[in-house]
Amino acid sequence: YPLHFHSTSCIHSRWIATPVAVSVGIKQKVHLKVEDNPILEVYYTTRYRNPAQADIAGLSKKSSLSVRQVERWFRRRRSQDRPGVLKKFREASWRFVFYMFAFIGGIAALYDKEWFYDTREVWTGFPKQSMLESQYWYYILEMSFYGSLLFSVAFDVKRKDFKEQIIHHLATLVLLSFSWCVNYIRIGTLVMLVHDTSDVLLESAKLFNYAKSEKICQTLFIIFAIVFMVTRLIIFPFW
């Protein structure tokens, strides 16, 4: 399923997100490609993207380039790997689509359940609670989505928040797997719904930010902040 999600995200990016981005004036920024230099490339990909001054001096001798040329090469190489606005728009668009459908699906799966309105019902009959088909697919879709994100991050160009994203996605998968194994399914579905609520607004705000629609973006960020505080800081710990 994670691979299916990854394939779907690629299709979405190519045939939906990109045309929408182009229609609002977002274009692919072309970065100046650096000259081929095996010595510097090996250092860049295997060690550090931003070498210390002492390392630059050593690389300068090995590559027969001046210190300034080495610094310029690394600066352009980092710029070459930096995701452009179009790529960010496509990624945010895919996350927005998923969170929106996950939120709607979560509501559809939970609105007629007793524990949606009274959390004490979450523990009725625990641990011998049967898993409903709607709960099964809710979990599978969420775990597949974060599995696909983990796959994408691992094989994409490493960004500044690479470690943070890996930790976040792994922690999410571990928590979902744990709740599945110990049959915390009812409470797990409620937690997923609470988290997806604000994520929809966050990704939509990002989309308008990339499209340079500042007023709509600011409005959505304000709504996101309010919803985040209510869902994550009030409902989640105290509901």
Side-chain angles (χ1 to χ4, degrees), residues 62-109:
K62 291 181 181 180
S63 60
S64 300
L65 297 174
S66 67
V67 170
R68 179 165 294 184
Q69 286 176 318
V70 173
E71 291 175 339
R72 187 186 303 117
W73 189 94
F74 275 94
R75 186 166 56 251
R76 289 180 176 176
R77 185 67 178 83
R78 289 193 297 271
S79 178
Q80 185 176 307
D81 278 350
R82 191 174 297 121
V85 177
L86 178 58
K87 185 173 183 178
K88 291 179 180 179
F89 184 92
R90 290 188 298 217
E91 293 172 346
S93 173
W94 169 241
R95 291 192 298 268
F96 167 76
V97 169
F98 172 79
Y99 288 131
M100 180 180 65
F101 280 104
F103 174 74
I104 295 173
I107 292 293

Side-chain angles (χ1 to χ4, degrees), residues 39-165:
I39 295 174
L40 300 183
E41 184 66 29
V42 168
Y43 185 94
Y44 180 87
T45 55
T46 60
R47 298 188 65 183
Y48 303 108
R49 297 178 59 190
N50 196 0
Q53 199 63 36
D55 293 330
I56 290 177
L59 290 169
S60 174
K61 294 178 181 179
K62 291 181 181 180
S63 60
S64 300
L65 297 174
S66 67
V67 170
R68 179 165 294 184
Q69 286 176 318
V70 173
E71 291 175 339
R72 187 186 303 117
W73 189 94
F74 275 94
R75 186 166 56 251
R76 289 180 176 176
R77 185 67 178 83
R78 289 193 297 271
S79 178
Q80 185 176 307
D81 278 350
R82 191 174 297 121
V85 177
L86 178 58
K87 185 173 183 178
K88 291 179 180 179
F89 184 92
R90 290 188 298 217
E91 293 172 346
S93 173
W94 169 241
R95 291 192 298 268
F96 167 76
V97 169
F98 172 79
Y99 288 131
M100 180 180 65
F101 280 104
F103 174 74
I104 295 173
I107 292 293
L110 294 171
Y111 82 97
D112 59 343
K113 306 300 186 296
E114 298 86 353
W115 58 86
F116 182 68
Y117 306 96
D118 183 2
T119 53
R120 290 174 297 183
E121 291 294 327
V122 165
W123 308 112
T124 301
F126 180 82
K128 296 181 179 180
Q129 296 173 340
S130 59
M131 177 182 288
L132 303 176
E133 185 177 3
S134 59
Q135 295 173 323
Y136 171 83
W137 284 111
Y138 195 12
Y139 258 81
I140 289 296
L141 292 176
E142 289 277 354
M143 294 178 72
S144 298
F145 175 70
Y146 283 103
S148 69
L149 290 184
L150 185 62
F151 178 83
S152 299
V153 171
F155 290 95
D156 196 4
V157 175
K158 290 186 179 180
R159 305 180 188 180
K160 292 181 179 180
D161 59 347
F162 172 78
K163 293 182 180 178
E164 290 79 359
Q165 288 193 57

Side-chain angles (χ1 to χ4, degrees), residues 26 89 92-93 96 202-212:
I26 299 175
F89 184 92
S93 173
F96 167 76
L202 176 61
E203 299 303 332
S204 62
K206 288 181 180 179
L207 291 175
F208 283 100
N209 179 49
Y210 298 143
K212 298 188 183 303

